Amino acid sequence: AQSVTQLGSHVSVSEGALVLLRCNYSSSVPPYLFWYVQYPNQGLQLLLKYTTGATLVKGINGFEAEFKKSETSFHLTKPSAHMSDAAEYFCAVSTGFQKLVFGTGTRLLVSP
Amino acid sequence: SQTIHQWPATLVQPVGSPLSLECTVEGTSNPNLYWYRQAAGRGLQLLFYSVGIGQISSEVPQNLSASRPQDRQFILSSKKLLLSDSGFYLCAWTPRGTEAFFGQGTRLTVV
């Protein structure tokens, strides 16, 4: 069965600093992997996805993630944090019928 | 373009009362539809999914049920709400592809 582990329920960075949100997955089949962002009391917005092909995936708002099969990881990064990046971030793996298994989320806090 | 509508945005219901949350998708046909729940401090859990009219699969045993009376309509229901049903409910759809698109969610508080 597929599963997702997100290390760190909260990550704090200063504005302009590197953002690194960690995600490790477990999957018995080649995974489809996703990062979603959630702002308070809103739905989830897709940041980026990995299906096949290039392992470095670029998404919206300057985020990118690298699929590393040997490490079963799909960490999310952004070179320079903005105040508007403060939100909750979810990593997910897709199972059959495009069902998603989510991690427990990481809340990103950005300080001036 | 495709859009997903979910309502109501917030709901406060007493224990033992019924529930009906509705989700509709526009601009597509024959989507896969999903209901997820996000409990306080926890990730999202898949409750139900549907690959077609009248076809509902339940992922976890619970006090809730789902129905799909029309191709682009997905309804989450309960006959009698429990306190543990409180949470943030999200409807989602996928084209016959990969990523899911989410509605804006319903915040349900059972009192």
Side-chain angles (χ1 to χ4, degrees), chain B residues 33-82:
Chain B
L33 296 171
Y34 310 81
W35 280 109
Y36 289 86
R37 177 171 61 198
Q38 186 177 21
R42 300 177 64 180
L44 291 93
Q45 182 182 39
L46 178 63
L47 302 177
F48 301 95
Y49 72 97
S50 172
V51 299
I53 296 174
Q55 300 178 64
I56 309 295
S57 295
S58 174
E59 290 293 295
V60 292
Q62 59 207 310
N63 185 44
L64 302 168
S65 62
S67 62
R68 185 170 178 174
Q70 300 180 41
D71 181 47
R72 290 170 290 175
Q73 183 184 30
F74 204 25
I75 297 172
L76 184 69
S77 305
S78 174
K79 292 182 179 179
K80 290 185 178 181
L81 284 168
L82 305 172

Side-chain angles (χ1 to χ4, degrees), chain A residues 36 38 41 49 97-98 100, chain B residues 32 34 38 97 99-100 107:
Chain A
Y36 284 87
Q38 185 183 33
N41 292 312
K49 65 179 179 181
F97 295 106
Q98 293 93 47
L100 294 173
Chain B
N32 287 351
Y34 310 81
Q38 186 177 21
E99 69 264 35
R107 173 75 59 192

Side-chain angles (χ1 to χ4, degrees), chain A residues 9-110:
Chain A
S9 59
H10 292 79
V11 170
S12 295
V13 300
S14 299
E15 193 173 19
L18 171 70
V19 176
L20 171 61
L21 305 183
R22 299 179 185 275
C23 172
N24 288 88
Y25 70 91
S26 172
S27 177
S28 57
V29 297
Y32 287 177
L33 295 161
F34 306 85
W35 276 100
Y36 284 87
V37 61
Q38 185 183 33
Y39 297 98
N41 292 312
Q42 293 190 26
L44 277 69
Q45 180 182 11
L46 180 69
L47 280 177
L48 49 80
K49 65 179 179 181
Y50 169 78
T51 54
T52 59
T55 56
L56 181 61
V57 180
K58 295 186 183 298
I60 62 171
N61 301 337
F63 285 94
E64 63 182 36
E66 187 171 10
F67 170 63
K68 292 187 177 180
K69 184 178 179 180
S70 61
E71 299 177 7
T72 61
S73 69
F74 191 56
H75 302 328
L76 182 70
T77 60
K78 182 174 180 178
S80 177
H82 294 168
M83 296 296 292
S84 60
D85 295 327
E88 189 149 22
Y89 293 79
F90 291 94
C91 182
V93 62
S94 178
T95 67
F97 295 106
Q98 293 93 47
K99 297 180 291 181
L100 294 173
V101 174
F102 285 89
T104 52
T106 298
R107 185 167 299 278
L108 177 65
L109 307 170
V110 183

